[in-house]
Each structure stands twice: as C-alpha cells, then as structure tokens.
Amino acid sequence: MADPEETAQFKFGNPLPFSEPSWYDSRNESPYYTDAHRHFRARMREFVDKEVIPNVDAWERDGIPREAFRKAGQVGLLPTILGWPEDAVTQPRPEGFDGLFLIIAMDELCRCASGGIVWGLLGGLGIGAPPIAHYGSDEMRQRVLRPCLDGEKNIALAVSEATAGSDIANLSTTAREEGDFYVINGLKKWITCGMFADYYTVAARTGGKGMMGISLILVERERAGVSTREMDCMGAKGSGTAFVEFDEVKVPKENYIGDVTCLLRNFVTERLGIAIQANRFARVCLTESIEYAKRRKAFGKKLEDQPVVRQKIAEMAKRVETTHAFIESLAFRIVAQERRGDDWFDSILRIGAEAGLAKVAATDTFEFCAREAAMIHGGNSYVKGNRIESLYRHVLSLAIPGGSSDVIIDASARLALKGML
C-alpha cells in the first residue's frame, strides 16, 4: 500500500482520493494538458485560496465588492471565461492559451462551493458578453468588453421571462423601431447579476412570431426606464439575481447585436459551464464526505470502516470522475477543431446535443452526491453553516438554468436522432 505522505508529493492540491481531477496527480499523464495549463492552474489556485474562499460568507451576505472583480480581471480569470479576446484585454494572453484554460478556471473557482459567488463573478459575464465578443461592433467591444474584462463594469444576459425560460420562441419583450432607435418594453426574470449589471444583453422581439423574430440588443443600465428588483432565491446568494424591467427604454440602433442565432452558441457554452460547476460542487461533496468519514465514529468504528459508507463514497467517485472525463473530451474537441481552423460556430453547434447531456449528467451527479453527502453527515447537513447544507440548496440552481433537465434531454435526443452530432 502506498504511503499517504509519499503519494501527496505527486499531487497538486488536496491529497485525499478523488478530491482533484486525475491529472492533478503528476503520475497520471493526460493527453490534454501541458505545462502552460499547469502554470495557469497554480495561478488560479492561489487566487481562489487567497481572495475568494476566505470571503465567501461576507460576499454572499453583502455582495461582491468591486475590488474583487478587479483582482479577478488582473489574475486572468475574467478574460479566460471569454476566450481572452486580445483586442479587449489589458494583459497579454498567456502562452499556450486554449479552451482548456476555461475548464481550469471554472473548476478552480468552484472549489469555493458557492453558486452565488461563482455566478456573481462569472455568471453574467460568461453568458452576457459572448454575443458582443462575437457579433458586436468594434466600438461596442471596446466600450463594453474592455471594462467588463478589467473588472470595472458588469454585464448580464436578459432572456428569461416569467412565462418563457427555455422556450425562447415565446418571449414577449418587444423592441419596436422608432426612427434611429429601438423602444424596448418587457419584464425579465431570474437575471443573474441583474442587480449590479451596468449593461444588459437583451433578447427582444423585433420581428414576427417564433424564435426567428428575436434579436439581441445592448441596453445600458443608465437609460431611462430600466429598473431592477432583487429576487430572494433558495441558493446562489451574492449573484444579484433580479427582475429587470424595461419601460419604454429608448436605445440607438447601433446597440443592435444580432439575430437569435447569437444565442445558439451561447446556450452550448453556457451548458458546458454549468456542467463544470455542478461537477466540481459534486466533487466538493465527495471530498467533504471522505474527510468526515475519516474522523467520525459510529457504532464503535469510523465511518470509513462501515461498508455502506464506502459504497456511497465509491458511487459518488464513479459519477464524478466519469462526468469530468466527458466534459474534458468535449472541451478538447472544440480546441482541436479551432486548431484546424474549422468554423467556430459550426464547431460549437456540432457538440450541442452532447453539451446538453453533459449538463444533465453533471447536475444529476451533483444532486446524487449532495444527497449521499447529507446522509453521511447526518444531522449536521441540516444545519446552516455546514457546507453540505449550502451545496444542497444549489442543486436546483444548476439543474434548471440553461435549460431544465427534462427540456435538455428531449432536445438532445431530437438533435441526435436527426443526425446533428
């Protein structure tokens, strides 16, 4: 049997089994990762350990301070989430940068085990900014992206409504033309970062019925007629989830971003991001359970010596590791397609069905691990202040956004059966 101290010298991060992705053990070679990825991993680990984890409770209660966003920009966390667009980022792109940096950044941040902090720092940016990055004018990119990636401003995606979440074809917010302007009216709901966003990427109806009548338009918070109201949700504290209302909001036509196809790529990358988050949260549940099983005694012996507890830990580990491998494989396929020079839009759409399934697999894994961890921790998991109690409240916050599991399962099956893989 290997000596735990000897084993620890090969492992980056937590030496407990299954507490980190397998490639964090230097004895496990990976076809995906290079020294550039390892250096970036160490950079993210230091930032999260020093700047994020000690402040989780305060930020969930009081909100994330502006200085935290600035530091996230300086360390490269914010630029990474958007693919590090060099014309809109102050710092130079790291050598060897590719899409796998995003997995590392998200996975490391999610060690904080707070959906509110993850969403507050990255949620609005990760889904609100990509349409501007890929379809916005040069002027819009400089005016909006640069301050957001520097951590000076925030952005949110405003799509969901009370009667239309995943069903974007039935969105009711309108943008009517008046000369050189659009006049926007509608109420958006469940908008991540909505309370503190400076910009909104708004899905509004500029055409007829159905999905193809929807367009994306940039709306600045400062415009007359924009108002927000905070939502008190089960989890995700600190993310500024809000109602955002547009009442006769007048914006110039230069703020037009693109048609509804801008959202299609967004949905794929959003689902991959949720999958990464859910699976790391599941891994935290697993780690907490292993640590607890090693110190807690019941019926005369430690929990780790109880077969039923070992069974739970093994089942959790099986699901976490297989889901992580699925996510890595999808991310690598995107990286490989980009290296070949394939069209980025086609590359993303080709994994649409699988990205949806990865999101469902990860959120199912998280739900399973949260429940099993709660059983292992017993009554402690039902008390505020316990990490498992907090994580359990985040299960639905990941299973529903980005398309609820039932919707995604059906959509993925339809895409696959039509040969769209």
Side-chain angles (χ1 to χ4, degrees):
M1 182 178 294
D3 186 327
E5 291 188 6
E6 181 181 343
T7 300
Q9 68 177 309
F10 297 104
K11 291 190 173 184
F12 178 88
N14 194 324
L16 285 176
F18 309 115
S19 293
E20 308 286 3
S22 62
W23 71 280
Y24 281 36
D25 187 326
S26 61
R27 297 167 298 179
N28 299 333
E29 290 191 27
S30 168
Y32 305 134
Y33 301 104
T34 66
D35 284 343
H37 297 110
R38 296 182 186 93
H39 292 152
F40 184 71
R41 178 186 65 184
R43 188 173 170 184
M44 290 297 102
R45 176 70 53 131
E46 181 181 10
F47 171 74
V48 173
D49 282 349
K50 180 181 178 181
E51 303 292 346
V52 180
I53 291 177
N55 295 305
V56 165
D57 290 343
W59 291 357
E60 285 187 338
R61 182 183 65 248
D62 305 324
I64 304 172
R66 176 56 51 196
E67 186 59 25
F69 287 101
R70 293 190 182 108
K71 289 180 178 179
Q74 291 163 6
V75 78
L77 176 61
L78 302 185
T80 295
I81 297 305
L82 212 58
W84 211 292
E86 293 183 281
D87 65 329
V89 180
T90 303
Q91 315 90 294
R93 179 186 288 179
E95 184 177 352
F97 183 90
D98 60 20
L100 294 169
F101 275 58
L102 187 147
I103 286 188
I104 296 169
M106 278 290 293
D107 192 56
E108 283 293 321
L109 178 62
C110 290
R111 292 172 42 250
C112 74
S114 168
I117 303 309
V118 174
W119 282 11
L121 282 171
L122 303 182
L125 178 71
I127 58 178
I132 296 174
H134 294 288
Y135 299 99
S137 65
D138 290 341
E139 182 276 332
M140 188 185 294
R141 286 167 59 87
Q142 290 301 313
R143 175 165 56 94
V144 177
L145 289 190
R146 185 172 290 277
C148 287
L149 295 177
D150 283 344
E152 297 294 342
K153 300 284 187 179
N154 296 102
I155 190 169
L157 180 68
V159 174
S160 295
E161 299 173 358
T163 57
S166 302
D167 184 15
I168 62 171
N170 286 307
L171 292 175
S172 61
T173 296
T174 59
R176 73 176 187 272
E177 293 187 50
E178 284 192 2
D180 294 331
F181 296 87
Y182 288 109
V183 180
I184 301 176
N185 284 280
L187 176 63
K188 299 296 185 178
K189 190 176 183 181
W190 303 292
I191 305 307
T192 302
C193 301
M195 285 302 297
F196 53 80
D198 300 284
Y199 307 103
Y200 300 97
T201 300
V202 181
R205 189 167 299 283
T206 55
K209 295 181 179 180
M211 186 171 65
M212 298 312 295
I214 300 298
S215 298
L216 291 184
I217 300 171
L218 174 70
V219 178
E220 298 88 346
R221 184 188 190 91
E222 63 197 21
R223 292 194 178 274
V226 177
S227 62
T228 58
R229 181 160 44 97
E230 189 168 11
M231 299 181 69
D232 188 10
C233 300
M234 179 189 299
K237 305 296 184 182
S239 65
T241 302
F243 291 97
V244 181
E245 186 167 10
F246 304 98
D247 182 9
E248 291 289 298
V249 178
K250 199 172 185 179
V251 299
K253 285 187 174 178
E254 288 79 12
N255 280 21
Y256 180 85
I257 299 170
D259 62 27
V260 73
T261 57
C262 301
L263 278 175
L264 299 181
R265 181 183 188 272
N266 233 41
F267 287 145
V268 177
T269 52
E270 178 185 10
R271 287 161 188 165
L272 281 176
I274 291 173
I276 297 166
Q277 181 179 349
N279 206 56
R280 174 54 89 161
F281 282 1
R283 194 183 293 276
V284 173
C285 291
L286 173 57
T287 300
E288 294 284 321
S289 297
I290 292 173
E291 290 177 344
Y292 190 72
K294 285 182 170 295
R295 68 175 185 268
R296 176 78 160 90
K297 285 187 176 181
F299 305 106
K301 54 185 177 182
K302 290 183 178 180
L303 292 185
E304 67 175 347
D305 295 323
Q306 308 279 1
V308 67
V309 173
R310 293 199 298 268
Q311 173 73 21
K312 289 180 182 296
I313 288 173
E315 187 64 32
M316 292 161 71
K318 179 188 74 175
R319 299 188 186 207
V320 168
E321 293 298 329
T322 54
T323 302
H324 192 82
F326 185 21
I327 294 169
E328 283 182 323
S329 71
L330 292 178
F332 179 74
R333 278 166 50 189
I334 297 174
V335 169
Q337 289 163 3
E338 289 178 338
R339 287 173 182 167
R340 291 198 302 265
D342 293 355
D343 180 79
W344 65 268
F345 190 75
D346 287 342
S347 299
I348 289 295
L349 291 185
R350 279 180 56 198
I351 69 162
E354 291 157 294
L357 295 177
K359 188 241 182 195
V360 174
T363 53
D364 284 352
T365 294
F366 178 30
E367 182 177 18
F368 176 84
C369 290
R371 184 178 67 249
E372 294 297 84
M375 293 298 103
I376 291 173
H377 282 75
N380 290 320
S381 66
Y382 197 64
V383 179
K384 290 285 182 124
N386 180 280
R387 240 183 174 189
I388 301 304
E389 182 276 334
S390 175
L391 283 167
Y392 216 149
R393 286 187 286 105
H394 285 85
V395 168
L396 290 179
S397 72
L398 297 179
I400 294 174
S404 63
S405 295
D406 290 344
V407 171
I408 296 302
I409 284 286
D410 181 62
S412 296
R414 281 189 285 109
L415 287 171
L417 292 171
K418 290 179 180 178
M420 299 174 69
L421 282 177

